[in-house]
Amino acid sequence: MRPAIAHTRLFSYLVTRPTGRTVRTNVERQIAAAGRTVLAVLDLRHVPLIDFSCADEIVAKLVLLASDPSTRRRFVLFRGIAEHHLEPIESALRRQGLAAAAESADGQPLLMGALDAGTVAVWREIWVLGRTRASPLADRLDLPVERVRGVLDDLVTRALVIRDGDRYVSLGRALRDAGPPPDEEREDL
């Protein structure tokens, strides 16, 4: 399964709730326009400041939207996360018991929010592998396959990993498989 990719690059200070609402609304519009399973990619590389209200309005609400089981599958990947982004984003996510998949400013995988260390370890391994089944992953981590399958299913429910048949796919791999974004699919805000 290859999701549609909706790219958004952000280029401003994100310091008020109305600004955050505007950004989120535009991203939601892109997601709805895809008409199928979609991976929304928000690039924060050029955002010098995101405050707590914008982190809540953009990050937390988009993560809630992605993990809503009543809708078609939606996934969100935040890219370009710098040290100064972490405190407001982590706070917004933890306050609501949420988690978000991300890449740091230097391209390293980053799982932000409320998750235990075991879940983070499984997620990181999937990120490295790109695509895997539960059994080989359990072997790599030296864990029981049923435990790993349970963690993987939770990651899918939380929209942090894509399920493709009996395989699990990292959001990073899904993005790489899609190739570079055509200009018409990318929106700058």
Side-chain angles (χ1 to χ4, degrees), residues 152-175:
L152 289 168
D153 290 342
D154 181 58
L155 289 169
V156 169
T157 299
R158 296 179 82 165
L160 298 168
V161 171
I162 298 171
R163 183 179 210 141
D164 187 13
D166 66 344
R167 292 179 185 243
Y168 299 86
V169 182
S170 75
L171 300 185
R173 178 60 178 259
L175 182 61

Side-chain angles (χ1 to χ4, degrees), residues 34-53:
R36 62 184 180 110
T37 298
V38 65
L39 171 57
V41 180
L42 277 76
D43 188 340
L44 301 173
R45 264 181 291 207
H46 302 290
V47 174
L49 177 66
I50 181 169
D51 77 354
F52 290 84
S53 65

Side-chain angles (χ1 to χ4, degrees), residues 2-188:
R2 285 203 170 147
I5 308 294
H7 289 271
T8 300
R9 293 179 300 192
L10 303 173
F11 287 96
S12 66
Y13 290 85
L14 300 174
V15 293
T16 67
R17 189 165 292 279
T19 300
R21 190 173 303 117
T22 299
V23 169
R24 179 181 45 78
T25 301
N26 285 330
V27 172
E28 288 174 347
R29 198 174 307 124
Q30 281 186 289
I31 290 170
R36 62 184 180 110
T37 298
V38 65
L39 171 57
V41 180
L42 277 76
D43 188 340
L44 301 173
R45 264 181 291 207
H46 302 290
V47 174
L49 177 66
I50 181 169
D51 77 354
F52 290 84
S53 65
C54 274
D56 183 58
E57 193 66 44
I58 298 168
V59 178
K61 288 187 178 179
L62 285 173
V63 168
L64 276 170
L65 175 71
S67 59
D68 181 354
S70 68
T71 60
R72 67 177 151 24
R73 296 305 299 165
R74 300 167 179 163
F75 301 89
V76 181
L77 177 65
F78 298 91
R79 298 182 90 186
I81 301 296
E83 191 68 34
H84 62 273
H85 297 132
L86 285 175
E87 184 180 355
I89 291 173
E90 288 273 357
S91 176
L93 292 170
R94 288 179 191 270
R95 191 172 43 255
Q96 296 188 47
L98 301 170
E103 287 181 350
S104 66
D106 61 0
Q108 295 302 306
L110 178 64
L111 193 55
M112 305 178 296
L115 289 166
D116 63 74
T119 301
V120 172
V122 170
W123 182 86
R124 284 189 183 281
E125 198 65 27
I126 292 171
W127 191 276
V128 169
L129 295 171
R131 177 179 286 115
T132 189
R133 290 181 173 89
S135 184
L137 184 59
D139 291 344
R140 282 179 67 103
L141 295 169
D142 196 27
L143 293 171
V145 71
E146 289 309 315
R147 180 173 173 205
V148 170
R149 189 172 287 116
V151 171
L152 289 168
D153 290 342
D154 181 58
L155 289 169
V156 169
T157 299
R158 296 179 82 165
L160 298 168
V161 171
I162 298 171
R163 183 179 210 141
D164 187 13
D166 66 344
R167 292 179 185 243
Y168 299 86
V169 182
S170 75
L171 300 185
R173 178 60 178 259
L175 182 61
R176 286 189 305 276
D177 287 351
D183 286 335
E184 65 272 6
E185 285 188 41
R186 190 172 39 214
E187 185 171 328
D188 297 334

